[in-house]
């Protein structure tokens, strides 16, 4: 009995020391790690997802309505060193025992496929004639932009990217309320594309391209644990974009590429982005994803395409095509503007170059020799950055 009782004071002392260190670690994270994130003390694997601190404004009004207290409480909670560990323990129990997803805005369909709820809500709210309505709204904006670049001897292309829910509706629409009709869902993109092409817009419909490839490969073009197209989908889309650029230029302005792929069980990047948001210890990653190898048609070291000033403005679906064109199409001068001003990406290897861009940075769009605008089919004519680009090119 003595041998069993001996360590009890040590255990109690260790536990008391741990409890005392928690507030000290929280204070450290609040005072020091705010300005030096690498020095933050965190226990447990890093959490997936991004959180933004609410502004703490001390005033009588903020005290009366409780906004100051709420912001302060959230700031302290975020700073607790043990928070990542506790969240993962909680999420793992709820996921394994009850199949519950704790990630905000993430839903699970058939065969383990995950999706962000806004895409589902958009798909299930499509109505008859919506494509024509959106096309009528955006056509004069795109026409202004296209006219500017053509007048300056540049190439302009508008790209529509696919959504996962439109590619794999059978995995989701029977599990969630979906009041729209199958006809309304299916006609939006063809109707929108047809109206814009009739209006003379240079357009690459990668949404319809990707949807037409369904069943072509031994895997879906959207990974189970991701919301964006996989590497093969991106490669097929970029090939179509490059082909259209060269057609409009009248010669091979951008060198094409060939590609091959192998299947891998090590999902990474966009192929597991929604799985990572679950923040569990044992994420559901039992699926194969394609890893693509590119074969450029020319040596990028000697290609004049390296000197091209290329700008691409788009959504999160633009990252994969932009990175492929930078590294496989020799467009090392390409700059991708994420939602216009949220961030600028490029370089070899492809990476973030700048965040929260000033207006002066957007003025560089005027000098682009190739301008690509990408919008996802779920949010065509509603992203806002087409208006920003139009304002830039219309400025005297």
């Amino acid at each position: 009995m003595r041998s069993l009782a001996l360590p009890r004071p040590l255990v109690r002392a260790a536990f008391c020391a741990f409890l005392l260190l928690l507030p000290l670690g929280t204070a450290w994270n609040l005072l020091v790690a705010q300005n030096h994130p690498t020095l933050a003390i965190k226990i447990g694997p890093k959490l997936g997802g991004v959180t933004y601190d609410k502004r703490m404004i001390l005033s009588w009004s903020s005290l009366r309505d409780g906004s100051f207290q709420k912001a302060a409480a959230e700031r302290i909670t975020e700073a607790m060193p043990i928070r990542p560990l506790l969240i993962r323990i909680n999420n793992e129990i709820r996921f394994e025992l009850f199949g519950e997803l704790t990630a905000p805005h993430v839903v699970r369909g058939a065969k383990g496929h995950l999706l962000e709820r806004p895409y589902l809500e958009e798909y299930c709210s499509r109505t008859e004639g919506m494509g024509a309505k959106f096309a009528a709204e955006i056509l004069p904006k795109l026409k202004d932009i296209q006219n500017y670049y053509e007048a300056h001897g540049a190439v302009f292309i508008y790209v529509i990217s696919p959504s996962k829910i439109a590619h794999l509706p059978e995995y989701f629409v029977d599990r969630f309320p979906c009041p729209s009709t199958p006809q309304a869902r299916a006609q939006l993109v063809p109707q929108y594309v047809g109206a814009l092409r009739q209006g003379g817009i240079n357009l690459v419909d990668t949404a319809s391209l990707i949807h037409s490839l369904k069943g072509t490969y031994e895997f879906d073009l959207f990974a189970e644990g991701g919301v964006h197209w996989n590497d093969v989908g991106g490669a097929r889309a970029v090939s179509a974009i490059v082909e259209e650029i060269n057609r409009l230029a009248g010669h091979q302005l951008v060198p094409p590429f060939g590609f091959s792929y192998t299947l891998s069980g090590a999902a990474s990047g966009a192929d597991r982005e929604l799985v990572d948001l679950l923040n569990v210890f044992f994420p559901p990653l039992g699926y194969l994803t394609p890893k693509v190898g590119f074969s450029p048609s020319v040596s990028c070291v000697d290609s004049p395409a390296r000197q091209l000033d290329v700008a691409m403005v788009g959504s999160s679906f633009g990252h994969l095509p932009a990175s492929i064109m930078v590294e496989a199409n020799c467009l090392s001068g390409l700059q991708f503007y994420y939602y216009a001003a949220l961030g600028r990406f490029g370089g070899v290897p492809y990476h973030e170059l700048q965040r929260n861009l000033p207006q002066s940075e957007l003025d560089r769009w005027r000098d682009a020799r190739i301008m690509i605008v990408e919008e996802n089919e779920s949010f065509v004519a509603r992203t806002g950055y087409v208006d920003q680009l139009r304002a830039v090119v219309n400025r005297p």
Side-chain angles (χ1 to χ4, degrees), residues 123-325:
Y123 187 70
C124 291
S125 63
R126 294 182 181 183
T127 57
E128 303 280 344
M130 185 176 283
K133 173 179 175 292
F134 287 152
E137 293 172 357
I138 201 172
L139 180 58
K141 304 174 185 179
L142 293 176
K143 199 66 178 174
D144 278 355
I145 296 168
Q146 182 169 299
N147 287 343
Y148 170 86
Y149 286 104
E150 289 180 346
H152 288 77
V155 173
F156 171 77
I157 289 182
Y158 178 61
V159 175
I160 302 172
S161 57
S163 74
K164 182 175 182 176
I165 178 65
H167 190 69
L168 300 168
E170 66 275 15
Y171 291 167
F172 300 96
V173 294
D174 293 336
R175 296 187 168 214
F176 304 93
C178 198
S180 62
T181 65
Q183 182 178 354
R185 300 170 204 156
Q187 75 172 201
L188 184 140
V189 171
Q191 191 177 79
Y192 182 74
V193 168
L196 291 184
R197 282 182 172 155
Q198 188 173 1
I201 300 301
N202 303 329
L203 185 150
V204 179
D205 178 13
T206 67
S208 296
L209 168 65
I210 296 301
H211 299 331
S212 72
L213 295 173
K214 187 174 180 178
T216 301
Y217 299 95
E218 64 270 38
F219 48 83
D220 291 321
L221 293 177
F222 289 80
E224 292 176 26
V227 72
H228 296 100
W229 42 16
N230 62 23
D231 290 354
V232 169
R236 294 295 299 261
V238 169
S239 295
I241 294 170
V242 169
E243 182 179 348
E244 181 64 7
I245 290 173
N246 291 336
R247 186 190 72 80
L248 291 170
H251 63 282
Q252 191 181 99
L253 185 62
V254 179
F257 58 72
F259 73 92
S260 59
Y261 67 86
T262 57
L263 290 179
S264 170
S268 60
D271 291 333
R272 56 175 291 167
E273 57 196 347
L274 295 186
V275 170
D276 289 336
L277 291 180
L278 301 182
N279 288 313
V280 294
F281 286 110
F282 306 103
L285 293 171
Y287 52 88
L288 299 177
T289 57
K291 303 301 178 185
V292 169
F294 294 96
S295 303
S297 58
V298 300
S299 170
C300 287
V301 174
D302 304 317
S303 174
R306 296 174 65 247
Q307 309 304 321
L308 288 173
D309 186 352
V310 185
M312 182 174 183
V313 184
S315 70
S316 56
F317 275 83
H319 280 297
L320 180 57
S323 65
I324 291 174
M325 285 189 282

Side-chain angles (χ1 to χ4, degrees), residues 346-392:
V348 182
Y350 180 83
H351 63 286
E352 183 179 66
L353 302 172
Q354 187 179 1
R355 189 173 297 186
N356 299 322
L357 310 181
Q359 180 59 45
S360 59
E361 184 63 40
L362 305 188
D363 290 341
R364 295 173 58 182
W365 294 343
R366 296 170 61 89
D367 300 323
R369 306 318 300 160
I370 300 175
M371 169 56 76
I372 303 168
V373 174
E374 174 271 327
E375 286 194 305
N376 189 259
E377 67 170 285
S378 292
F379 309 106
V380 287
R382 290 160 287 173
T383 55
Y385 46 78
V386 171
D387 294 308
Q388 291 175 273
L389 176 56
R390 185 195 197 190
V392 168

Side-chain angles (χ1 to χ4, degrees), residues 27-44:
W28 172 271
N29 288 342
L30 284 170
L31 299 175
V32 178
Q34 288 290 323
N35 297 320
H36 304 280
T38 58
L39 299 178
I41 301 173
K42 295 293 182 182
I43 301 174

